[in-house]
Amino acid sequence: MAGEIEALKNVATRLRINSVKSTEAAGSGHPTSCASLAEIMSVLFLKEMHFKPDSPKNPSNDRFVLSKGHAAPILYAAWSEVGLFPESELLNLRKIDCDLEGHPTPRLPFVDVSTGSLGQGISNAAGMAYVGKYIDKASYRVYCVVGDGESAEGSVWEALAFSSYYKLDNLVIIFDVNRLGQSQPTQLQHDLDTYKKRTEAFGCHSIVVDGHDIQELLKAFSVARTIKDKPVALICKTFKGQGFPGIADQDNWHGKPLGAKAKEVLEHLNAQLKAKDTSGHHLAPLKPKDDCSELKLMGSIKLPSAPQYKLGDQVATRLAYGNALARIGQTCDRVIALDGDTKNSTFSIKLRDVKPNQFIECFIAEQNLVGVAIGCGARGRTIPFASTFAAFFTRAFDQIRMGAVSQTNCNFAGSHVGVSIGEDGPSQMGLEDLAMFRSIIGSTVFYPSDAVSAERAVELAANTPGVCYIRTGRPNQPVIYSPEESFSVGKGKVVRTAGASADHLTVVGGGITISEALKAADILATEKINIRVIDPFTIKPMDKDLLAKAVKETCNKVLTVEDHAPEGGIGDAVSAALSQSGVIHTVHRLGITEIPHSGKPDELIAKYGIDAKAIVRAVKTLLGK
Amino acid sequence: MAGEIEALKNVATRLRINSVKSTEAAGSGHPTSCASLAEIMSVLFLKEMHFKPDSPKNPSNDRFVLSKGHAAPILYAAWSEVGLFPESELLNLRKIDCDLEGHPTPRLPFVDVSTGSLGQGISNAAGMAYVGKYIDKASYRVYCVVGDGESAEGSVWEALAFSSYYKLDNLVIIFDVNRLGQSQPTQLQHDLDTYKKRTEAFGCHSIVVDGHDIQELLKAFSVARTIKDKPVALICKTFKGQGFPGIADQDNWHGKPLGAKAKEVLEHLNAQLKAKDTSGHHLAPLKPKDDCSELKLMGSIKLPSAPQYKLGDQVATRLAYGNALARIGQTCDRVIALDGDTKNSTFSIKLRDVKPNQFIECFIAEQNLVGVAIGCGARGRTIPFASTFAAFFTRAFDQIRMGAVSQTNCNFAGSHVGVSIGEDGPSQMGLEDLAMFRSIIGSTVFYPSDAVSAERAVELAANTPGVCYIRTGRPNQPVIYSPEESFSVGKGKVVRTAGASADHLTVVGGGITISEALKAADILATEKINIRVIDPFTIKPMDKDLLAKAVKETCNKVLTVEDHAPEGGIGDAVSAALSQSGVIHTVHRLGITEIPHSGKPDELIAKYGIDAKAIVRAVKTLLGK
């Protein structure tokens, strides 16, 4: 035992040495934020976690999330320590041709979720733990290291409330309370008692330990294994820069290599390594229990039958979303829905009604909703659909953005978009959601305009890599596609035309503005004005070819109509596509240009100029009639 | 005393009656969420808060924030009860021509901040309380009513941590624990003890009361006034739909009028009103102490002198931001900066260094940072500048969006944008911030390309109504404008031209891509290719005329270059402007099309194709050379 502790101490010292060396070689990074973690990482990687060090993606492995992603160098040092790659590779930290980046990303096989935007790791870890306990029903445990500075993020408390509500006793959250933030001491500094009270009040079993004492850490992890029906919070008192003489616990050492001090610190650390460091080499990670198998879900999801609507039926796209989710959920038990207490509005409740075990209520905490969904989807264990009002996904933009960095395949569905929701008023109206999801690199943005296409959007999203967003609406809309119509990403539909040479102008909409455009087409037809109406189906990618062809055939004029802010939505997407196409064009746009008021949906789409009458007026003006 | 309590009970009953009647007339709304609040509102408005009921904007009034904005009908009923408008007006709830909207907005004179996206009200209230205690140094107190469902939002806990850290003993937070959420019971239901533990752990003085017992409420508020150096949390046990027979404490009554049940409920409530309800009419709101005066800040802020840089100086725009903030802060003590523990990176620390009382450290909690800033700016008490890394404002998109609904004049400055930050990697790179801020209705988006224009952006933002965003960069950039150059919103600059008829192509950039475009222009000039380089200065509004003129004069070709995702930024803004202009044009765009890697800034702008060489290549390709 004593030899083992010495060995673990040596590991901790080596992790410190490598954190100093690698950041020194990089000329940037956070060695002091690593140093406070050295004993914790040593114990975790060599005495607590069960995993195959040569197979980091093994589904039976324990999971590890470094929520304080800026301590990446010590994570990399730990994986080198267990033999995944040679120590020399650590000196390529932060280089453009090396995936040991400034903050961890899944370009590395041992990283499941990107971290670096603080306070998100626990939600991801909670998602993994939820899947481990309730879906995989496997032995793996989940460990998450959180900084004290980042515990000011509310998302941390959302995640703890979630974890205790769902009794995630396979989850251990390690708080590295090193007292110092980036620019000054943290709010609570070394007030460990308050951390204990807060985490206990949020339902954790909390243990305060000296985070630099290997024996205390070993004991705490061993107690953690005995705790049932609660997540465990290890509140570790540590010092930033621990082990670095003259630097430990001092201000102004955040996020910088040791520079002129490095030599002295390395000499000090090397002197601490026991002369005969053979014991350390006997340490090896504990083997996992092989009780979780590989899955290949992506690409396998199909609606069991064509959508069950008739042309002209009045169905809200949010209802079709719920129907489709329930239908694919019945064909695949790894399709799951996550809700933020809006399930009876988004209709994700449809899946819960038929498959309650594939449904996770996350309550009114959208950051955690998204973080948990990303965690549930990590390593491809599930196909998650997170839904709430479109407006409330803005609450989780940072999590969604980080999801893209995490290479998530998570799907998001936002209902209650635009002024067409009616009386609830602007706080509930999704007016920026298209802009938000379009800006996510690699995303796909579906905006179905009837129930049939909404069901197909769900099916396609389930099989499309990257962040997928489905924009659904509150009001009923007529079904405009036959059940057999086929849809694909980036392919729009001409839903009204009088023929290639007979249309006077192209109108592009989405959701309810397609319904309005079709009404406008009827009105205009009585005056011998023909409009071509295009339903892009996906706003990103936008069907450039279909648009360019239409514009050429309709006097180079396009009208866009959207229940969204003027910037970032359909108008921008159409302008962007045409501007790059080389086709001569003028785009006139209708959208919501001022903060809307409460009112009836029909009154509001009229007041803000996106209804059939407004389209008729704009078309006539554009055609000079 | 007994008569007073009877009178307060009668008020509560009338508030219930009016909540039922108004939602019944509207055909939608949340009467049960109002009912749980009736006694609380009665006591607050008629026995606790000090305000002038005929002058809701009076600066000496106590402030009230209804964080659970869906209980708007009872807020409106309370203002009618104190005589601001006739009861009959309540029947126009949610109508398009009445400002008694579904959720409160500042279209109403008694609403300082919009609510309805849950969990934001405490941050706003904390901002108001901070200003009251430390800036106005006035007697007014701040009251915030929070729902139990919304207390799952992490932002609630960020706000409590902030409020206790700053000892806001002029802030009372009333938790309306009515047990039921929208679609199911809340996580904690009636576990009042856990609410008490959580709020105490977050630094509140917490008092558990029966929220339907007037005497208990009166006593609790009176205790609250004696508490020093802590915010007070009143944990009120209530029942959703209290007072509505057959509805109280029942599921499935969220967000709907009582319909067929309304008549019976109203009869029941009317029967509860004391026959001789004269006592009630003697109740009147308590008078405020007149110790806070009106302010008119907007439009008054000026840099004390021209920016102090020389052409060619190497200065990061984030540093110029900090310099300008310190300079205007010295001319006006109501200019304040708010930080999320990044002040030494965003350089907001410059204001703290010269005016520590005009600086609020909000730690790593961006939602609360933005919510507090909006609260600080409410009623025009301060001109707030909130700054952090641009990427981390995505954390607060919902708060920013609600800020626009709140008619805030708050300014936001995001630093560390794009791949040019270098080694820290994608989690730290602002790549979606232009898209986010452009989508906000009524916003102004500044993207200065040197230090001189950055200082002018700060000055202009301080005087521009609505949400203003300033995008600043990490690397040094050459100063390209003389100190005397003047700037205005919506006016771009031609920073390189060989003359109206001599330019071959227009390049539009922002920030560091302007520096790169100027380098590219030098290289291309040696090959007799002239590019016109346009610095739009504001990305929203975009200078359409300048662009249209340039495009006409340069063969209808534009190249956009931006350190941002391809969607929602400069490329979209330029395409949108030109597509609407009627000018023939083709836009080719350079931007960050994949999740970036860590690396040196120069390597990264080269790898992702937005450096001078990439511009040269693109220009030549576009010109067929």
Side-chain angles (χ1 to χ4, degrees), chain B residues 376-511:
Chain B
C376 288
R379 300 190 186 209
R381 302 308 301 168
T382 68
I383 297 180
F385 282 80
S387 37
T388 183
F389 284 20
F392 304 147
F393 274 123
T394 56
R395 199 63 158 264
F397 190 11
D398 199 14
Q399 277 78 5
I400 297 164
R401 173 183 83 83
M402 287 299 294
V405 183
S406 291
Q407 303 175 13
T408 187
N409 296 323
C410 197
N411 307 295
F412 304 95
S415 70
H416 291 68
V417 299
V419 302
S420 55
I421 69 161
E423 290 87 346
D424 273 345
S427 65
Q428 316 294 302
M429 294 170 175
L431 292 165
E432 306 86 2
D433 54 316
L434 289 175
M436 174 170 70
F437 280 102
R438 278 184 70 236
S439 75
I440 295 289
I441 292 174
S443 68
T444 303
V445 178
F446 297 88
Y447 190 6
S449 295
D450 84 339
V452 169
S453 54
E455 289 217 17
R456 292 299 180 192
V458 173
E459 184 182 41
L460 285 164
N463 298 297
T464 301
V467 166
C468 287
Y469 176 60
I470 304 171
R471 183 178 221 232
T472 70
R474 180 170 187 266
N476 284 337
Q477 284 187 251
V479 171
I480 57 173
Y481 296 110
S482 79
E484 294 73 31
E485 185 85 28
S486 73
F487 291 86
S488 50
V489 170
K491 287 289 170 200
K493 304 276 181 186
V494 174
V495 293
R496 175 68 66 98
T497 177
S501 56
D503 294 333
H504 301 103
L505 189 137
T506 297
V507 176
V508 186

Side-chain angles (χ1 to χ4, degrees), chain A residues 466-478:
Chain A
V467 166
C468 287
Y469 176 61
I470 305 171
R471 185 178 219 232
T472 70
R474 181 170 186 267
N476 285 338
Q477 284 187 250

Side-chain angles (χ1 to χ4, degrees), chain B residues 234-362:
Chain B
L234 250 60
I235 316 292
C236 301
K237 181 175 181 179
T238 61
F239 293 92
K240 197 158 175 170
Q242 171 79 356
F244 301 171
I247 291 171
D249 205 32
Q250 298 298 305
D251 256 330
N252 294 318
W253 276 104
H254 180 90
K256 53 178 90 158
L258 304 191
K261 287 273 207 177
K263 187 163 170 281
E264 178 194 338
V265 166
L266 286 172
E267 281 170 5
H268 171 82
L269 291 170
N270 278 310
Q272 288 192 319
L273 282 178
K274 297 297 158 203
K276 282 178 68 176
D277 181 19
T278 49
S279 54
H281 292 288
H282 297 151
L283 289 172
L286 304 171
K287 288 198 172 59
K289 190 167 166 189
D290 272 319
D291 60 359
C292 190
S293 53
E294 294 280 356
L295 290 172
K296 286 241 166 106
L297 300 172
M298 178 62 61
S300 70
I301 307 301
K302 270 196 161 40
L303 282 171
S305 60
Q308 311 283 309
Y309 312 101
K310 287 197 294 278
L311 285 171
D313 278 0
Q314 290 285 333
V315 187
T317 50
R318 61 183 169 132
L319 178 60
Y321 164 76
N323 289 337
L325 197 56
R327 277 155 34 84
I328 63 170
Q330 287 173 296
T331 70
C332 172
D333 63 8
R334 296 272 167 164
V335 168
I336 62 169
L338 300 100
D339 172 46
D341 194 17
T342 55
K343 56 186 172 287
N344 50 352
S345 295
T346 62
F347 286 113
S348 65
I349 198 168
K350 295 269 175 187
L351 178 58
R352 193 203 63 170
D353 288 347
V354 294
K355 289 280 184 178
N357 295 335
Q358 290 166 233
F359 185 89
I360 310 177
E361 179 55 62
C362 297

Side-chain angles (χ1 to χ4, degrees), chain A residues 28 30 94-99 101-103 105 107 115-120 149-150 152-155 157-158 161-162 164-165 181-187 194 197-198 201-203 339 341-345 352 361 363-367 391-392 394-395 397-399 401-402 404-405 423-424 426-429 431-432 435-436 438-441 540 565-568 572 575-576 579-580 582 584-587 589 592-599 603-604 607, chain B residues 26 28 30 94-99 101-103 105 107 115-120 149-150 152-155 157-158 161-162 164-165 181-187 194 197-198 201-203 339 341-345 352 361 363-367 391-392 394-395 397-399 401-402 404-405 423-424 426-429 431-432 435-436 438-441 540 565-568 572 575-576 579-580 582 584-587 589 592-599 603-604 607:
Chain A
S28 67
H30 302 74
R94 292 178 160 240
K95 290 189 182 161
I96 198 163
D97 50 2
C98 171
D99 286 339
E101 296 191 71
H103 294 76
T105 80
R107 289 182 180 115
T115 51
S117 181
L118 293 170
Q120 302 192 14
E150 69 173 314
E153 291 284 9
S155 51
W157 305 95
E158 294 179 4
F162 174 92
S164 59
Y165 185 84
Q182 171 177 325
S183 67
Q184 67 173 73
T186 62
Q187 286 174 87
T194 295
K197 282 186 184 146
R198 288 187 183 179
F202 275 79
D339 171 46
D341 194 17
T342 55
K343 57 184 172 286
N344 50 353
S345 294
R352 193 203 62 171
E361 179 55 63
F363 300 94
I364 306 173
E366 296 79 8
Q367 295 193 78
F392 304 147
T394 57
R395 199 62 158 264
F397 190 11
D398 199 12
Q399 278 76 6
R401 174 183 82 83
M402 287 299 294
V405 183
E423 289 87 346
D424 273 345
S427 64
Q428 317 295 302
M429 295 170 174
L431 291 165
E432 306 85 2
M436 175 170 68
R438 278 184 70 235
S439 75
I440 296 289
I441 292 175
K540 180 186 174 190
E567 283 81 20
D572 269 12
S575 289
S579 286
Q580 293 173 84
I584 295 171
H585 66 281
T586 305
V587 176
R589 47 171 77 185
I592 311 304
T593 56
E594 57 185 293
I595 300 291
H597 202 278
S598 289
E603 291 172 341
L604 293 177
K607 179 176 166 82
Chain B
S28 66
H30 302 74
R94 292 177 160 240
K95 290 188 181 161
I96 197 162
D97 50 2
C98 171
D99 287 338
E101 296 189 71
H103 294 76
T105 81
R107 290 181 179 116
T115 51
S117 182
L118 294 169
Q120 302 191 16
E150 70 173 313
E153 291 283 10
S155 51
W157 305 96
E158 294 179 5
F162 174 92
S164 59
Y165 186 84
Q182 169 177 327
S183 67
Q184 68 173 71
T186 62
Q187 286 174 85
T194 294
K197 282 186 184 145
R198 289 188 183 180
F202 275 77
D339 172 46
D341 194 17
T342 55
K343 56 186 172 287
N344 50 352
S345 295
R352 193 203 63 170
E361 179 55 62
F363 300 94
I364 307 173
E366 295 79 9
Q367 296 194 75
F392 304 147
T394 56
R395 199 63 158 264
F397 190 11
D398 199 14
Q399 277 78 5
R401 173 183 83 83
M402 287 299 294
V405 183
E423 290 87 346
D424 273 345
S427 65
Q428 316 294 302
M429 294 170 175
L431 292 165
E432 306 86 2
M436 174 170 70
R438 278 184 70 236
S439 75
I440 295 289
I441 292 174
K540 180 186 174 190
E567 284 80 19
D572 269 13
S575 289
S579 286
Q580 293 173 84
I584 295 171
H585 67 281
T586 307
V587 176
R589 47 170 77 185
I592 312 303
T593 55
E594 56 184 295
I595 300 290
H597 200 279
S598 288
E603 290 171 342
L604 293 176
K607 179 177 166 81

Side-chain angles (χ1 to χ4, degrees), chain A residues 12-67:
Chain A
T13 303
R14 277 198 299 274
L15 296 178
R16 285 200 174 91
I17 290 171
N18 281 324
S19 300
V20 171
K21 282 187 179 171
S22 59
T23 50
E24 212 50 35
S28 67
H30 302 74
T32 58
S33 303
C34 295
S36 60
L37 272 180
E39 284 76 18
I40 293 166
M41 294 295 277
S42 168
V43 169
L44 274 172
F45 275 73
L46 289 157
K47 203 60 203 168
E48 170 62 18
M49 294 200 300
H50 293 60
F51 64 103
K52 298 186 178 171
D54 55 349
S55 169
K57 281 265 174 281
N58 189 291
S60 295
N61 283 357
D62 283 348
R63 273 69 166 150
F64 178 75
V65 178
L66 182 67
S67 187

